[in-house]
Amino acid sequence: MSEPLTLDGLAAPLRLLRLLAADFGHLPAPDVDLTRIYPDRLTLRFHEGLHAFEAWREALAVPPEKVTHGVQGDGITRVLKATTDYAGAELHLHGYTDVPADGGAA
């Protein structure tokens, strides 16, 4: 049995979260995920439309070509994802929005 991960083992994403709060406190608040399974990863999730995802993507200088697009929930939810290394941690951005009934842009 391996040794359990300590809080120090999550130092990279916790440090990144602190940095983001200090530098980008004016941006929309995300849902924040960090996990012992991926101790170098911080995930920011945005469920209220893609404007918050885009604001963070631009602020973090993540190039548009690093964004992937998909749908989930039988095609009713549009999903944007981007991953970048930032301040020594792996940062994931996930944005969710409803797909309009007519299939147009949200």
Side-chain angles (χ1 to χ4, degrees):
M1 182 176 218
S2 63
E3 289 291 318
L5 185 70
T6 65
L7 194 56
D8 284 341
L10 295 174
L14 289 169
R15 189 172 34 253
L16 174 56
L17 183 58
R18 182 177 177 187
L19 176 68
L20 295 176
D23 291 348
F24 302 110
H26 61 284
L27 291 177
D31 291 336
V32 177
D33 294 331
L34 51 106
T35 175
R36 295 173 298 141
I37 298 168
Y38 302 105
D40 292 328
R41 179 185 297 176
L42 178 69
T43 301
L44 305 182
R45 298 181 191 277
F46 306 94
H47 295 274
E48 291 80 27
L50 301 179
H51 62 283
F53 173 92
E54 282 298 317
W56 277 93
R57 184 195 60 76
E58 289 177 11
L60 296 167
V62 176
E65 57 271 12
K66 289 188 79 176
V67 176
T68 62
H69 171 269
V71 292
Q72 65 184 35
D74 290 330
I76 63 170
T77 302
R78 178 173 291 139
V79 182
L80 297 182
K81 294 181 181 180
T83 300
T84 191
D85 291 327
Y86 199 88
E90 185 178 301
L91 178 60
H92 290 241
L93 302 176
H94 295 197
Y96 305 92
T97 193
D98 294 335
V99 173
D102 65 5

